[in-house]
Amino acid sequence: MIRHLRSLGQYIILMGKTFSRPERLRMFLKKYVKEMASLGVDSIGIVLLISFFIGAVICIQMKLNIQSPWMPKFVTGYTTREIMLLEFSSSIMCLILAGKVGSNIASELGTMRVTQQIDALEIMGVNSASYLILPKILGMVTIMPFLVIFSAAMGIIGAYATAYVGHVLSADDLTIGLQHDFNPWFVWMSIIKSIFFAFIISSVSSFHGYRVEGGSVEVGKASTNAVVSSSVLILFSDVFLTQLLS
Protein backbone atom coordinates (compact mmCIF):
# COMPACT_ATOMS: atom_id res chain seq x y z
CA MET A 1 0.00 0.00 0.00
CA ILE A 2 2.81 2.40 0.93
CA ARG A 3 4.61 1.55 -2.32
CA HIS A 4 1.52 2.41 -4.36
CA LEU A 5 1.04 5.69 -2.51
CA ARG A 6 4.70 6.55 -3.10
CA SER A 7 4.26 5.79 -6.82
CA LEU A 8 1.14 7.97 -6.92
CA GLY A 9 3.04 10.84 -5.34
CA GLN A 10 5.92 10.44 -7.81
CA TYR A 11 3.41 10.35 -10.69
CA ILE A 12 1.76 13.60 -9.54
CA ILE A 13 5.15 15.30 -9.16
CA LEU A 14 6.21 14.14 -12.63
CA MET A 15 2.96 15.44 -14.15
CA GLY A 16 3.59 18.76 -12.42
CA LYS A 17 6.98 18.98 -14.12
CA THR A 18 5.50 17.81 -17.42
CA PHE A 19 2.72 20.39 -17.71
CA SER A 20 4.92 23.45 -17.74
CA ARG A 21 5.35 25.96 -20.52
CA PRO A 22 7.61 24.59 -23.29
CA GLU A 23 10.93 26.40 -23.42
CA ARG A 24 11.12 26.44 -27.23
CA LEU A 25 7.66 26.48 -28.79
CA ARG A 26 8.85 25.73 -32.33
CA MET A 27 10.70 22.58 -31.28
CA PHE A 28 7.73 21.54 -29.11
CA LEU A 29 5.32 21.80 -32.05
CA LYS A 30 7.71 19.77 -34.18
CA LYS A 31 7.84 16.99 -31.57
CA TYR A 32 4.08 17.24 -31.05
CA VAL A 33 3.38 16.53 -34.72
CA LYS A 34 5.98 13.74 -34.73
CA GLU A 35 4.38 12.05 -31.70
CA MET A 36 0.92 12.30 -33.27
CA ALA A 37 2.25 10.49 -36.31
CA SER A 38 4.22 7.81 -34.44
CA LEU A 39 1.63 7.09 -31.72
CA GLY A 40 -1.64 7.70 -33.54
CA VAL A 41 -1.31 7.65 -37.31
CA ASP A 42 0.84 4.51 -37.24
CA SER A 43 -1.91 2.80 -35.22
CA ILE A 44 -4.67 3.44 -37.76
CA GLY A 45 -3.96 0.19 -39.64
CA ILE A 46 -4.40 -2.10 -36.64
CA VAL A 47 -7.44 -0.11 -35.46
CA LEU A 48 -9.20 -0.46 -38.82
CA LEU A 49 -8.33 -4.14 -39.18
CA ILE A 50 -9.56 -5.15 -35.73
CA SER A 51 -12.68 -2.96 -35.93
CA PHE A 52 -13.69 -4.41 -39.30
CA PHE A 53 -13.64 -8.00 -38.09
CA ILE A 54 -15.16 -7.20 -34.69
CA GLY A 55 -18.06 -5.40 -36.39
CA ALA A 56 -18.57 -8.41 -38.66
CA VAL A 57 -18.43 -10.88 -35.76
CA ILE A 58 -20.83 -8.82 -33.61
CA CYS A 59 -23.31 -8.70 -36.48
CA ILE A 60 -23.12 -12.48 -36.97
CA GLN A 61 -23.44 -13.24 -33.25
CA MET A 62 -26.39 -10.90 -32.79
CA LYS A 63 -28.20 -12.46 -35.75
CA LEU A 64 -27.57 -16.05 -34.69
CA ASN A 65 -28.11 -15.76 -30.93
CA ILE A 66 -30.61 -12.92 -30.43
CA GLN A 67 -32.78 -12.85 -33.54
CA SER A 68 -36.09 -14.70 -33.26
CA PRO A 69 -39.45 -14.68 -35.08
CA TRP A 70 -40.81 -12.51 -32.26
CA MET A 71 -38.14 -9.84 -32.64
CA PRO A 72 -37.82 -7.23 -35.43
CA LYS A 73 -35.10 -7.93 -37.98
CA PHE A 74 -33.45 -4.56 -37.45
CA VAL A 75 -32.41 -5.48 -33.89
CA THR A 76 -29.14 -6.94 -35.21
CA GLY A 77 -28.07 -3.62 -36.73
CA TYR A 78 -29.21 -1.70 -33.66
CA THR A 79 -27.22 -3.81 -31.19
CA THR A 80 -24.16 -3.80 -33.45
CA ARG A 81 -24.19 0.00 -33.53
CA GLU A 82 -24.66 0.33 -29.77
CA ILE A 83 -21.86 -2.12 -28.92
CA MET A 84 -19.40 -0.48 -31.32
CA LEU A 85 -20.21 3.06 -30.16
CA LEU A 86 -20.62 2.55 -26.43
CA GLU A 87 -17.84 0.12 -25.57
CA PHE A 88 -15.67 -1.35 -28.28
CA SER A 89 -14.53 1.73 -30.21
CA SER A 90 -13.75 3.66 -27.02
CA SER A 91 -12.87 1.24 -24.22
CA ILE A 92 -11.77 -2.03 -25.82
CA MET A 93 -9.86 -0.29 -28.60
CA CYS A 94 -8.00 1.80 -26.01
CA LEU A 95 -7.09 -1.39 -24.15
CA ILE A 96 -5.60 -2.75 -27.36
CA LEU A 97 -3.71 0.50 -27.97
CA ALA A 98 -2.43 0.42 -24.39
CA GLY A 99 -0.48 -2.68 -25.37
CA LYS A 100 0.89 -1.20 -28.58
CA VAL A 101 1.39 2.47 -27.70
CA GLY A 102 2.02 2.08 -23.97
CA SER A 103 4.87 -0.39 -24.37
CA ASN A 104 6.36 1.78 -27.11
CA ILE A 105 6.38 4.89 -24.91
CA ALA A 106 7.74 3.09 -21.85
CA SER A 107 10.52 1.33 -23.75
CA GLU A 108 11.54 4.52 -25.58
CA LEU A 109 11.81 6.61 -22.40
CA GLY A 110 13.31 3.71 -20.46
CA THR A 111 16.05 3.29 -23.06
CA MET A 112 16.75 7.02 -22.93
CA ARG A 113 17.04 6.82 -19.15
CA VAL A 114 19.35 3.78 -19.24
CA THR A 115 21.60 5.34 -21.89
CA GLN A 116 21.70 8.57 -19.82
CA GLN A 117 20.14 10.73 -22.54
CA ILE A 118 17.61 12.11 -20.04
CA ASP A 119 20.43 12.90 -17.60
CA ALA A 120 22.23 14.78 -20.38
CA LEU A 121 19.12 16.90 -21.04
CA GLU A 122 18.85 17.78 -17.35
CA ILE A 123 22.55 18.71 -17.19
CA MET A 124 21.95 21.13 -20.07
CA GLY A 125 19.16 22.76 -18.07
CA VAL A 126 16.30 21.34 -20.13
CA ASN A 127 13.08 20.29 -18.41
CA SER A 128 13.30 16.71 -19.65
CA ALA A 129 9.79 15.79 -18.43
CA SER A 130 8.13 18.59 -20.38
CA TYR A 131 10.41 18.14 -23.40
CA LEU A 132 9.87 14.37 -23.72
CA ILE A 133 6.51 13.57 -22.14
CA LEU A 134 4.24 16.54 -22.89
CA PRO A 135 4.30 16.07 -26.71
CA LYS A 136 3.41 12.39 -26.25
CA ILE A 137 0.44 13.15 -23.99
CA LEU A 138 -0.94 15.96 -26.15
CA GLY A 139 -0.31 14.02 -29.36
CA MET A 140 -2.13 10.96 -28.03
CA VAL A 141 -5.05 12.99 -26.65
CA THR A 142 -5.39 14.80 -29.99
CA ILE A 143 -5.38 11.76 -32.24
CA MET A 144 -7.41 9.31 -30.11
CA PRO A 145 -10.90 10.75 -30.92
CA PHE A 146 -10.16 10.28 -34.63
CA LEU A 147 -9.16 6.66 -34.00
CA VAL A 148 -12.46 6.10 -32.17
CA ILE A 149 -14.47 7.53 -35.07
CA PHE A 150 -12.51 5.43 -37.59
CA SER A 151 -13.03 2.35 -35.44
CA ALA A 152 -16.81 2.80 -35.20
CA ALA A 153 -17.11 3.51 -38.93
CA MET A 154 -15.01 0.48 -39.87
CA GLY A 155 -17.04 -1.73 -37.52
CA ILE A 156 -20.22 -0.71 -39.35
CA ILE A 157 -18.51 -1.40 -42.68
CA GLY A 158 -17.62 -4.86 -41.36
CA ALA A 159 -21.28 -5.42 -40.48
CA TYR A 160 -22.31 -4.43 -44.01
CA ALA A 161 -19.68 -6.78 -45.44
CA THR A 162 -21.25 -9.58 -43.44
CA ALA A 163 -24.69 -8.63 -44.72
CA TYR A 164 -23.59 -8.59 -48.36
CA VAL A 165 -21.06 -11.43 -48.45
CA GLY A 166 -22.34 -13.77 -45.74
CA HIS A 167 -26.04 -13.10 -46.40
CA VAL A 168 -26.64 -13.09 -42.64
CA LEU A 169 -29.35 -10.44 -43.05
CA SER A 170 -30.38 -7.96 -45.69
CA ALA A 171 -28.59 -4.65 -46.02
CA ASP A 172 -31.91 -2.82 -45.72
CA ASP A 173 -32.67 -4.41 -42.34
CA LEU A 174 -29.14 -3.60 -41.17
CA THR A 175 -29.52 0.03 -42.29
CA ILE A 176 -32.86 0.39 -40.48
CA GLY A 177 -31.28 -1.00 -37.32
CA LEU A 178 -28.26 1.31 -37.54
CA GLN A 179 -30.57 4.31 -37.87
CA HIS A 180 -33.14 3.22 -35.28
CA ASP A 181 -33.36 5.44 -32.18
CA PHE A 182 -29.91 6.92 -32.75
CA ASN A 183 -28.63 9.10 -29.91
CA PRO A 184 -25.84 11.51 -31.00
CA TRP A 185 -24.70 11.83 -27.39
CA PHE A 186 -23.31 8.28 -27.56
CA VAL A 187 -20.76 9.47 -30.13
CA TRP A 188 -19.67 12.32 -27.89
CA MET A 189 -19.58 9.98 -24.90
CA SER A 190 -17.19 7.66 -26.73
CA ILE A 191 -14.97 10.59 -27.71
CA ILE A 192 -14.88 11.98 -24.15
CA LYS A 193 -14.02 8.57 -22.73
CA SER A 194 -11.29 8.06 -25.32
CA ILE A 195 -9.66 11.38 -24.37
CA PHE A 196 -9.41 10.27 -20.74
CA PHE A 197 -8.08 6.86 -21.79
CA ALA A 198 -5.52 8.47 -24.11
CA PHE A 199 -4.23 10.56 -21.20
CA ILE A 200 -4.00 7.46 -19.00
CA ILE A 201 -2.10 5.46 -21.63
CA SER A 202 0.41 8.20 -22.44
CA SER A 203 1.01 9.57 -18.93
CA VAL A 204 1.20 6.24 -17.07
CA SER A 205 3.46 4.69 -19.70
CA SER A 206 5.69 7.77 -19.67
CA PHE A 207 5.89 7.57 -15.88
CA HIS A 208 7.03 3.94 -15.91
CA GLY A 209 9.57 4.57 -18.65
CA TYR A 210 10.89 7.82 -17.21
CA ARG A 211 11.73 6.37 -13.79
CA VAL A 212 13.55 3.24 -14.98
CA GLU A 213 16.59 2.37 -12.88
CA GLY A 214 19.10 -0.24 -13.93
CA GLY A 215 19.75 -1.84 -17.29
CA SER A 216 17.91 -3.25 -20.26
CA VAL A 217 16.09 -5.83 -18.13
CA GLU A 218 14.41 -3.01 -16.21
CA VAL A 219 13.28 -1.45 -19.49
CA GLY A 220 11.38 -4.63 -20.32
CA LYS A 221 9.81 -4.69 -16.85
CA ALA A 222 8.80 -1.03 -17.22
CA SER A 223 7.09 -1.80 -20.53
CA THR A 224 5.14 -4.65 -18.93
CA ASN A 225 4.18 -2.55 -15.91
CA ALA A 226 3.09 0.29 -18.18
CA VAL A 227 0.71 -1.94 -20.15
CA VAL A 228 -0.72 -3.60 -17.02
CA SER A 229 -1.18 -0.33 -15.10
CA SER A 230 -2.74 1.45 -18.08
CA SER A 231 -5.15 -1.40 -18.74
CA VAL A 232 -6.29 -1.61 -15.11
CA LEU A 233 -6.78 2.15 -14.86
CA ILE A 234 -8.73 2.20 -18.14
CA LEU A 235 -11.08 -0.49 -16.83
CA PHE A 236 -11.62 1.31 -13.52
CA SER A 237 -12.15 4.71 -15.12
CA ASP A 238 -14.47 3.18 -17.73
CA VAL A 239 -16.89 2.20 -14.98
CA PHE A 240 -16.95 5.69 -13.45
CA LEU A 241 -17.06 7.55 -16.78
CA THR A 242 -19.89 5.37 -18.08
CA GLN A 243 -21.89 6.00 -14.91
CA LEU A 244 -21.09 9.72 -15.00
CA LEU A 245 -21.84 10.32 -18.68
CA SER A 246 -24.88 8.05 -19.09
Side-chain angles (χ1 to χ4, degrees):
M1 184 65 181
I2 296 177
R3 181 170 61 88
H4 293 302
L5 289 175
R6 185 183 298 113
S7 297
L8 177 62
Q10 292 172 345
Y11 171 79
I12 294 173
I13 293 172
L14 179 61
M15 289 300 104
K17 291 174 59 181
T18 299
F19 287 95
S20 60
R21 188 178 183 276
E23 297 172 2
R24 298 181 63 182
L25 187 59
R26 184 176 178 182
M27 184 166 292
F28 168 77
L29 292 176
K30 188 176 180 180
K31 284 185 66 66
Y32 168 64
V33 173
K34 180 182 176 183
E35 295 297 343
M36 270 201 300
S38 62
L39 299 179
V41 177
D42 290 349
S43 301
I44 290 178
I46 187 69
V47 168
L48 296 181
L49 181 66
I50 294 175
S51 299
F52 178 86
F53 287 104
I54 291 296
V57 169
I58 290 175
C59 183
I60 294 172
Q61 292 284 11
M62 293 301 105
K63 173 64 178 177
L64 295 179
N65 297 298
I66 291 182
Q67 197 73 53
S68 72
W70 304 99
M71 193 173 294
K73 294 181 179 180
F74 66 80
V75 170
T76 299
Y78 174 76
T79 52
T80 300
R81 184 198 72 202
E82 297 297 273
I83 291 173
M84 290 299 300
L85 271 182
L86 292 176
E87 276 306 310
F88 180 82
S89 294
S90 58
S91 307
I92 308 302
M93 186 55 64
C94 288
L95 281 175
I96 295 171
L97 290 177
K100 178 184 182 298
V101 176
S103 60
N104 182 20
I105 293 174
S107 60
E108 178 186 343
L109 291 177
T111 302
M112 293 183 70
R113 172 65 77 180
V114 169
T115 56
Q116 299 180 343
Q117 296 179 52
I118 295 178
D119 297 333
L121 288 173
E122 293 175 348
I123 291 173
M124 291 187 295
V126 177
N127 184 351
S128 59
S130 178
Y131 179 76
L132 297 173
I133 299 176
L134 186 59
K136 297 181 185 299
I137 294 177
L138 294 183
M140 194 67 187
V141 169
T142 303
I143 203 69
M144 186 63 82
F146 296 98
L147 295 179
V148 168
I149 294 172
F150 293 157
S151 173
M154 186 54 67
I156 292 174
I157 293 174
Y160 271 109
T162 302
Y164 279 108
V165 178
H167 303 291
V168 175
L169 76 165
S170 68
D172 292 336
D173 291 334
L174 180 61
T175 303
I176 294 173
L178 292 172
Q179 295 175 346
H180 177 71
D181 198 22
F182 176 67
N183 187 356
W185 170 245
F186 289 164
V187 178
W188 290 107
M189 188 167 74
S190 296
I191 291 174
I192 292 171
K193 287 166 63 176
S194 71
I195 291 174
F196 279 92
F197 298 155
F199 176 80
I200 290 173
I201 293 170
S202 53
S203 63
V204 171
S205 301
S206 297
F207 169 71
H208 282 286
Y210 189 84
R211 62 191 292 267
V212 166
E213 297 178 355
S216 57
V217 176
E218 297 300 321
V219 175
K221 291 181 180 179
S223 298
T224 303
N225 293 333
V227 175
V228 173
S229 300
S230 300
S231 301
V232 171
L233 288 174
I234 287 173
L235 292 173
F236 272 108
S237 58
D238 186 29
V239 175
F240 292 106
L241 287 173
T242 301
Q243 182 69 27
L244 182 64
L245 298 173
S246 298

